[in-house]
Amino acid sequence: MDKRFEPRSYEQTWQSRWSEMGIFRVEVPSDKPSFCIMIPPPNVTGKLHVGHALQSTVQDLLTRWRRMQGYNALWLPGTDHAGIATQLMVERQLAGEGINRRDLGREKFIERTWEWKRQYHGSIRRQLDLLGASCDWSRERFTLDADLNRAVRESFVRLYREGLITRGEYLVNWSPALGTAVSDLEVESKTVQGKLYHIAYPVEGSGPDGETIVVATTRPETMLGDTAVAFHPDDERYRHLHGKAALLPLVGRRLPFVADPLVDKEFGTGLVKITPFHDPFDFELARRHGLPGISVIDREGKMSAEAGADFAGLDRFAARTKVVDRLRSEGSLVKVEDHVHNVGHSQRSGEPIEPLVSTQWFCDVSGMAAQALEVVRDGRLKLLPESWDKTWEHWLSNIRPWCISRQLWWGHQIPAWYLDDGEDRRCFVAHSVEDAAREAGVEPGRLTQDPDVLDTWFSSALWPFSTLGWPDDTPDLRAFYPTDFLVTAYDILFFWVARMVMSGLHFMGDVPFRTVHLTGLVRDAEGVKMSKTKGNVLDPEELVNEYGADALRFTLASLDSPGRDIPLNTDQIAGYRAFGNKIWNATRFALSRVGEAQVQKTLDPAGLAAPERWILSRLSGVAHEVGERLETFRFDEACSRLYHFFWGDFCDWYIELSKPALFSGESGDAPRPRVAEVLLTVLDRSLRLLHPVMPFLTEELWQRLPGHEAIHPTTICLAPYPQVEPAWSAPEIEAGMDALMAVVTRVRALRTEMGLAPKAKLDLHLAAQDAGVGRLLAEQETLIRFLTRVEQIAWGPAPEGARRDVVAGVEVGVVSVESGVSGGAQEMSADERRRLDKELEKLDTEIARSEERLSNEQFLSKAPAQVVETGRAKLAEMKERRASLRASLGA
RNA sequence: AGGCCCGUAGCUCAGUUGGUUAGAGCGCUACGUUGACAUCGUAGAGGUCAGCGGUUCGAAUCCGCUCGGGCCUACCA
C-alpha cells in the first residue's frame, strides 16, 4: 500500500467502475422500500459552483446512506434549459459574430441553442462525477425533453380549462434590456439615491395667475402619461379641488382630480400625479376610478409617439433630463430634493424595470397557494430549518397572479393557437396544433402559435413528477412520488420550491417531497458572497483537484448547519484532507499488523479484553448517533461524530491500545485475544459509516480489508450501513477505560508540569475508589505502562512527597526515579508551585460555590434528584482532588 | 414600514427540550521522528457566551429592551 495518500489516484477510477457496475441504476418495481431525491436541475450550460457541490454532497450522502440501508434509492439527475440565461449566452456568442437573433430567425436560433446545449450538457455530468455523485444516469432528464414538454402542455391545458390560466392586458414588470416581461420574483428592489421633483400644475379655469397645485415625483418623464391627480379624501387642503381638474404642463392635458384613500397625506404635498400605464400604484388607482392610461414608454425603454413629438424616441432617462429642463425653463419646477427610495431592477440584466402595459399569460395561483400553506401547517411538508415557515406563510398569503409568458425564443412555446378571422382573433389552447385545429374547425395551417414561451420555472415546477413520466401513470411515478427529500439553497424557495409544492398538490394530489432542507449560501472565508466580479469564487473542480472530492464533501457536509450561510475557507478543506490521510494511514497500520485475521461480520464480545470491548461499545454508540443525526438531516453533527470517533477514539486511543498486543512478545500478562480481528472489524464498520460522506476513500480502503467480501462481494456502496449492536454496548467498561485514559493523560501532563524529559524515569502510584475501575486498571497494567512509559506501577495511595492528583476517581501519584526519593515538594520548581497554587485557588472557589448550592433548600427541593446527586459526587471529587494537590505541595 | 436570522476563544463555527468547570477545527506556545501518519504526536495558553433588565433553585440557552451585522418581503409617488 502506497505510503502517500493521493486521492486523485483512485477517485475517478472508482467513479467509472461504479458506473460500469451499474450499481446506481434503479429497477422498478422492487421489493425494497423506495427512496428518491430529484436533483435541483442546474442550468444546462452552466458551471457548477460551490453551492451545487454542497447540495450534491447532501443529496448523495443521503442517497448512499439509504442505498446501504437497503432502500431502492434513486437520485435522479437532470438539467434545466434556463430560458433567459441560456438565450443570453447564445446571443452573446452571436454578437461575437456580429449578428443578433433576429438576423438568424427563430428556428435557426433555436437550432443553434440546441447545439450549444448538446455541447455543454456533458460537463454537468462530468462535474457531478468528479464529486462522487451516485445518480442514476439512465433516468437523466432535461426540462426541454419531448416528454417533459408533453407534461408542460398537459398542465397548461388543464390549468387553462380550469380557468386558472388566462390571457390579458395588465401592467407587468418589463425588462427593456431583455425585451420580455418578468415575474414579480425576478424584480430585485434596490435602494438608490434619487431625486424628488416637485412640479407645479395649474388648476383649470383659475386664470394665468391663478391657483397651482404641486405634485412630487421621482420619475418626471412619466408625467407625459399623466391622466389624473389624486389626493386623500380626508385631506382638508384639497377637498375644494373635487370635481375640478389640473392642466398638465408641457402638454396641456386636462387631469381630473380624484380622491382616494390609497394616497398618503404625509408624502410630498399629499397630491399624486397619476400615470396609470407606468406605475403599479397608479395603475391600481386608475382602475378603481375608471381612468384611462397612456403608454408613453415603449418596450425598448424609449419614449413612444404618444409622449409627443419632442420626446418620442428618446431613452427614458434622457427624456427625464429633457422634461426637467423644460419644466425649469417654463417655471413649473418648484424644487428638487435628494430622495432615497427603492427601485425595481431586473434581476437578470440589472437595469431598472419599466412597468408597462402588455398582453401576457397569467396563472392564478391563489387556490394552490392556500393548499401549499395548508401542507406546511399540518406537517405534511416540513421545511428545515423551521424558521422558514413564517416566510412561507407570508409569501403565499400575499401571492399575486404569476406572469408566465416570456417574450423569448428558448423555452416551452405556449400551446395556444390563434385564428385570424378578420376582426375576430380567436385563441385555442390545446395539446397540439392538430387538436387546436380540430377545435377551431379549420386546417392546422390556418393557425398561428403564440410566439411566447413559458417562464422557465413553469416547467421546473413540474420537475418532481414530469421526470417520472407524468402525465402517464408510470411504474416510476408510482414507486417514487412523493419523493422523500429536497435540498436547495433558500434563495429559490419561492421561485422553485413553492411552485413545485403548488403544482404537485394540484396535479398529483400530494406534496412533491416530504422534507425540504434549505441550505445557506456558500460564502468565502470572510463571509462575503461569492461573485465573479469580486473574484472570490471557488471552483469545485479546482478544489477537488487540490484536496480530493472526499475532503470537499466532508467539509461541505460539516458546514451545513441549519439556518446559516456557509463560509468556506480552504484551510478547512485541507484539514479534512488530513483526515483522509489519517484514515489512509490507520488502515495502512492495520493491514501491516493483522496477520491472517479477517473482517468479522459480527463479533461476540465475550472473552475480549477491556480495550476491545471499549472500542466495540464506542463503535456501536457512534453508529447509533450517526444514524440518528442522518434521520434528522443533521449532516454537520453526523460528520462531527464520525470525525471524533475515528480520529479521537480509534486512532488516538484504540490503535495505541492495540499496539502492545499486536507487537509480538509484548502482549504482557493480561490476555488480549482477537485484537487483530477487532481492529479490522472496527475499521470495516468505520469505513462503512464514513462511506456516504467520503465514498472514494472508503471504497479504496475497504477493498483492501481481508474478508470484506463477506460483508458485500463487490462494493462498499451496497454493503449494509452499520447499526447499533446492543451486545457490544458496555457502559461499565467505557467508564473504566475513560478512567484509564484520564490517568494516562494526567501522567503525561504531570511529566510536562514537573519539567521532566519525556524519557525521564517515573514510578506511578494508582488508587481507584471504585473497585471495578481499580480492577480494570490493574488488568491493564501493561497498557498503562506502555502508554505512560513509567517504570513500574504501585497499587495504592501515593507515598509522601509524590506529585499527585485525582482524575476520574483515581488518585494518580508520580515519583521521579532519577531525582532521588521523589518528585515532590522539595524539588518543585517555582513555576509549578505557582500553577498548583492557582489550581487550588480555582478549586476552592468552585468547592465553595458547589457547597453553597448544595446547602440551598430551594435547589435541593426543586432540582431533579439526578442533578443533585451529580453535584454531590462532583463536590466529593473536588475535595479529594484538593487534598491530593495539597499533599503534593507538602501542605 | 413589516418579518426573519445572527452576535460564543485570535479566525470560522458547534452547543439538542434551561442543569452548574461552555466545545471543535484552524491559528498560537512548548516539547517530540517510540516501527500507521510531521497531511503527525504529546501537553498547554486563550472566553465577564454583544450589553442591560426579567423569569428561575439554576440562563449561552426562555422573555423584554438597547447596540451592532446580514437577509427577505412591501404599490409611498
Side-chain angles (χ1 to χ4, degrees), chain A residues 34 105 580 736 809:
Chain A
S34 295

Side-chain angles (χ1 to χ4, degrees), chain A residues 328-506:
Chain A
R328 190 175 284 125
S329 60
E330 205 182 70
S332 303
L333 189 64
V334 179
K335 65 172 172 179
V336 182
E337 296 174 319
D338 283 335
H339 182 62
V340 176
H341 62 137
N342 295 326
V343 178
H345 287 68
S346 167
Q347 194 187 48
R348 184 62 66 173
S349 48
E351 87 286 9
I353 285 291
E354 186 57 51
L356 53 80
V357 170
S358 90
T359 301
Q360 302 286 348
W361 291 90
F362 294 89
C363 184
D364 172 5
V365 289
S366 53
M368 294 186 245
Q371 282 187 281
L373 281 168
E374 200 49 44
V375 291
V376 167
R377 286 186 195 138
D378 69 22
R380 265 188 289 162
L381 176 69
K382 254 197 157 123
L383 303 181
L384 293 178
E386 280 175 18
S387 52
W388 286 103
D389 286 4
K390 279 191 182 171
T391 313
W392 183 265
E393 189 81 21
H394 180 255
W395 190 75
L396 285 163
S397 311
N398 295 291
I399 201 160
R400 288 182 296 173
W402 174 18
C403 175
I404 51 174
S405 44
R406 297 289 179 275
Q407 288 62 56
L408 303 171
W409 287 351
W410 178 242
H412 293 278
Q413 198 170 344
I414 291 177
W417 285 265
Y418 302 103
L419 174 65
D420 276 310
D421 261 351
E423 288 298 289
D424 200 20
R425 191 164 188 250
R426 289 157 66 206
C427 175
F428 300 92
V429 170
H431 294 87
S432 64
V433 64
E434 290 77 18
D435 286 359
R438 207 168 303 127
E439 212 180 301
V442 298
E443 287 300 305
R446 290 194 52 204
L447 295 176
T448 323
Q449 187 169 4
D450 192 308
D452 289 353
V453 300
L454 287 164
D455 182 0
T456 302
W457 299 105
F458 189 90
S459 53
S460 317
L462 312 175
W463 186 251
F465 46 96
S466 62
T467 50
L468 294 172
W470 188 86
D472 294 336
D473 180 21
T474 65
D476 271 11
L477 196 59
R478 272 190 299 243
F480 296 116
Y481 194 94
T483 69
D484 291 85
F485 182 81
L486 178 82
V487 55
T488 188
Y490 60 73
D491 57 346
I492 54 172
L493 181 61
F494 301 129
F495 274 109
W496 192 44
V497 181
R499 284 164 179 169
M500 280 192 284
V501 171
M502 292 193 282
S503 62
L505 288 166
H506 190 76

Side-chain angles (χ1 to χ4, degrees), chain A residues 51 110 215 224 275 282 362 412 498 554 633 651 663 739 782 804:
Chain A
I110 290 175
V215 298
L224 301 169
T275 318
D282 295 7
F362 294 89
H412 293 278
F554 205 97
F633 312 106
C651 293
F663 296 159
T782 312
R804 58 181 89 194

Side-chain angles (χ1 to χ4, degrees), chain A residues 163 190 198 228 235 309 376 441 482 579 595 695 707 826 853:
Chain A
K190 286 187 193 167
H198 294 252
D235 199 330
V376 167
F579 181 49
Q826 297 86 342
R853 196 165 39 236

Side-chain angles (χ1 to χ4, degrees), chain A residues 485-539:
Chain A
F485 182 81
L486 178 82
V487 55
T488 188
Y490 60 73
D491 57 346
I492 54 172
L493 181 61
F494 301 129
F495 274 109
W496 192 44
V497 181
R499 284 164 179 169
M500 280 192 284
V501 171
M502 292 193 282
S503 62
L505 288 166
H506 190 76
F507 293 112
M508 295 294 297
D510 201 350
V511 289
F513 25 73
R514 306 184 193 283
T515 304
V516 180
H517 177 78
L518 293 156
T519 69
L521 304 176
V522 180
R523 297 169 182 279
D524 71 8
E526 275 76 47
V528 179
K529 203 167 171 176
M530 290 189 191
S531 76
K532 280 181 195 159
T533 47
K534 288 195 193 95
N536 60 349
V537 177
L538 290 173
D539 175 10

Side-chain angles (χ1 to χ4, degrees), chain A residues 12 217 263 663:
Chain A
Q12 285 315 294
T217 179
V263 177
F663 296 159

Side-chain angles (χ1 to χ4, degrees), chain A residues 18-19 21-38 60 62-64 66-68 70-77 134-141 467-468 475-481 484 717-718:
Chain A
W18 291 331
S19 174
M21 288 191 260
I23 52 176
F24 306 141
R25 199 171 306 141
V26 165
E27 303 295 340
V28 166
S30 160
D31 297 337
K32 301 176 185 174
S34 295
F35 178 81
C36 180
I37 297 179
M38 299 290 170
D60 191 53
L62 273 179
T63 309
R64 286 181 181 272
R66 287 302 194 198
R67 188 182 294 120
M68 289 175 83
Y71 282 77
N72 200 30
L74 168 63
W75 181 16
L76 191 146
S134 63
C135 302
D136 180 353
W137 289 99
S138 73
R139 283 178 165 78
E140 185 187 1
R141 293 289 185 275
T467 50
L468 294 172
D476 271 11
L477 196 59
R478 272 190 299 243
F480 296 116
Y481 194 94
D484 291 85
C717 300
L718 300 177

